[in-house]
Amino acid sequence: DFLSTEKRVIRVHKKNVKNLIYLEYFSKLIEIEYTSDEENREFLNNSENYFEHLSVIKLKNSLAGLYSAWNLAENLWQKHNYEPILKIREDDFLKGRKILSKMKIPHDAWFVTLHVREGKKETERSKANAKIESYMDGIREITRKKGYVIRIGDKGTKPLPKIKNVFDYANSEFKSEFMDIFLLANCRFHIGTASGPASVPPVFGRPILYTNCPCIGLNPNFLNSVMIPKLYFNKKEKKFLTFNEMLRGNMAWTVNNNCLNTDVKTIDNTENDIKHGIIEMLEMTESSKKIEETSLQSRFDQARNRYGDTGQTKISKYFIEKNRNLLE
């Protein structure tokens, strides 16, 4: 009842797939065709004739941008209280638990996954980067409650210091496509930046803490999730931009640093911002009661919703209270 009625097929060469395990999980929901080298070249040469560009989705009665369509689907899903779209298979769950035991993580322990995008400063998406050091205080909030933190990411990322109950999986012998998905599908919640892994846990019904969000106008309404945005400082005027100024400009709508005014610089989340966001997530996932939003969170929602339904993840209570002066 949501998408248009055309048959949709994922047609892809395996070498172009970031995680084949994850893609295979979708095979019961959508047809997947794997192409040969020759078929892939032919497809790319003629793809404009028959593929749907993912930045615009064709719905049943209209077109919608990716984030609008994403939020419309999320809102519909939550309204009907549907089960998560994917569920880890029993054999995969048992296999993953065995590997966790080899990682010295007890079978009855709960864990949080962490992914902080490093990237390169010169890349266009560098607005999405952050520093792992700013997450240390928050990590200790989790370990203080006897939880484990499993850091995921590409091999070769900056190593973590040795901290009890913290496992640097990204740089370990256990890293694999399978375990990437297992961990993201079974975490208590995920702490992430603007990168691919952050979209995986909600598909399995797991909430996220979206830290260092570079654009407040583009984020899906993930259930029981919290966002902490980056701020923007005008060096010439020596002041922070208000949330409405971000939304009226391009700061709210792109992760490309090249689109920023040279007078404006991006301000990452502080250690305290991240620590309090993690405390909020711990409280939400410990309680069976729905935590009501504050009046300041509602005011932020109202400001953002004037620009459509592309950004709907709930802003951190602590962060909006701290920066209430940026609400016009």
Side-chain angles (χ1 to χ4, degrees), residues 149-208:
V149 176
I150 301 177
R151 190 272 199 94
I152 67 171
D154 294 331
K155 276 189 178 291
T157 50
K158 188 173 182 178
L160 288 178
K162 297 290 184 183
I163 303 174
K164 186 180 179 182
N165 283 22
V166 177
F167 190 83
D168 195 358
Y169 160 81
N171 292 307
S172 76
E173 63 185 288
F174 302 102
K175 179 172 171 55
S176 68
E177 289 188 11
F178 167 79
M179 277 305 286
D180 285 350
I181 301 307
F182 172 84
L183 294 170
L184 291 167
N186 288 282
C187 59
R188 178 162 162 181
F189 61 90
H190 173 71
I191 306 165
T193 51
S195 194
S199 65
V200 178
V203 177
F204 290 92
R206 306 292 173 162
I208 69 168

Side-chain angles (χ1 to χ4, degrees), residues 96-145:
R97 293 306 304 186
K98 286 180 180 178
I99 297 173
L100 276 183
S101 66
K102 293 178 181 177
M103 293 163 55
K104 308 300 182 187
I105 296 176
H107 75 277
D108 57 347
W110 59 270
F111 64 87
V112 170
T113 49
L114 169 68
H115 178 252
V116 179
R117 187 182 190 276
E118 293 179 355
K120 297 179 180 178
K121 289 184 179 179
E122 63 270 18
T123 60
E124 291 181 348
R125 282 180 53 85
S126 56
K127 264 178 67 178
N129 297 344
K131 295 180 179 178
I132 191 71
E133 292 84 358
S134 58
Y135 290 74
M136 293 301 113
D137 282 354
I139 285 172
R140 291 185 178 92
E141 288 295 320
I142 296 166
T143 59
R144 188 172 60 82
K145 288 181 171 284

Side-chain angles (χ1 to χ4, degrees), residues 6-278:
E6 290 94 343
K7 179 181 178 181
R8 287 169 167 84
V9 176
I10 295 176
R11 200 161 192 265
V12 66
H13 195 293
K14 286 187 176 182
K15 69 181 180 182
N16 295 328
V17 178
K18 183 70 173 176
N19 191 304
L20 282 167
I21 302 294
Y22 189 43
L23 181 59
E24 285 295 333
Y25 260 90
F26 283 93
S27 61
K28 289 186 177 180
L29 303 172
I30 188 169
E31 185 179 339
I32 301 170
E33 294 181 2
Y34 294 109
T35 62
S36 65
D37 288 343
E38 185 177 344
E39 288 171 328
N40 191 52
R41 282 192 296 271
E42 181 183 350
F43 173 73
L44 292 175
N45 289 336
N46 297 283
S47 58
E48 70 276 3
N49 296 324
Y50 51 85
F51 88 99
E52 180 176 37
H53 199 290
L54 289 181
S55 63
V56 179
I57 308 297
K58 190 175 182 183
L59 306 183
K60 192 170 185 179
N61 298 308
S62 64
L63 296 173
L66 172 61
Y67 281 90
S68 291
W70 201 341
N71 273 318
L72 288 168
E74 285 287 345
N75 294 341
L76 184 66
W77 212 264
Q78 292 175 32
K79 177 183 176 182
H80 292 285
N81 199 28
Y82 292 143
E83 291 292 313
I85 194 169
L86 295 181
K87 183 178 181 181
I88 201 80
R89 292 185 288 262
E90 182 65 21
D91 57 337
D92 282 347
F93 179 78
L94 296 174
K95 176 182 175 181
R97 293 306 304 186
K98 286 180 180 178
I99 297 173
L100 276 183
S101 66
K102 293 178 181 177
M103 293 163 55
K104 308 300 182 187
I105 296 176
H107 75 277
D108 57 347
W110 59 270
F111 64 87
V112 170
T113 49
L114 169 68
H115 178 252
V116 179
R117 187 182 190 276
E118 293 179 355
K120 297 179 180 178
K121 289 184 179 179
E122 63 270 18
T123 60
E124 291 181 348
R125 282 180 53 85
S126 56
K127 264 178 67 178
N129 297 344
K131 295 180 179 178
I132 191 71
E133 292 84 358
S134 58
Y135 290 74
M136 293 301 113
D137 282 354
I139 285 172
R140 291 185 178 92
E141 288 295 320
I142 296 166
T143 59
R144 188 172 60 82
K145 288 181 171 284
K146 311 302 181 185
Y148 283 74
V149 176
I150 301 177
R151 190 272 199 94
I152 67 171
D154 294 331
K155 276 189 178 291
T157 50
K158 188 173 182 178
L160 288 178
K162 297 290 184 183
I163 303 174
K164 186 180 179 182
N165 283 22
V166 177
F167 190 83
D168 195 358
Y169 160 81
N171 292 307
S172 76
E173 63 185 288
F174 302 102
K175 179 172 171 55
S176 68
E177 289 188 11
F178 167 79
M179 277 305 286
D180 285 350
I181 301 307
F182 172 84
L183 294 170
L184 291 167
N186 288 282
C187 59
R188 178 162 162 181
F189 61 90
H190 173 71
I191 306 165
T193 51
S195 194
S199 65
V200 178
V203 177
F204 290 92
R206 306 292 173 162
I208 69 168
L209 173 62
Y210 185 4
T211 59
N212 283 291
C213 173
C215 33
I216 58 175
L218 300 175
N219 38 80
N221 182 20
F222 291 138
L223 185 63
N224 299 326
S225 297
V226 168
M227 174 197 68
I228 314 175
K230 291 192 178 190
L231 294 178
Y232 293 89
F233 187 78
N234 189 310
K235 295 177 285 184
K236 191 174 182 179
E237 298 180 10
K238 293 183 171 53
K239 72 177 189 70
F240 283 96
L241 273 65
T242 66
F243 295 118
N244 272 321
E245 285 173 329
M246 292 182 209
L247 288 160
R248 288 196 296 266
N250 55 15
M251 299 82 180
W253 310 103
T254 178
V255 295
N256 189 340
N257 252 341
N258 298 332
C259 294
L260 281 183
N261 184 316
T262 54
D263 291 331
V264 175
K265 69 175 181 178
T266 311
I267 306 298
D268 287 1
N269 298 160
T270 67
E271 290 187 43
N272 228 23
D273 294 337
I274 295 168
K275 181 181 79 170
H276 281 276
I278 288 173

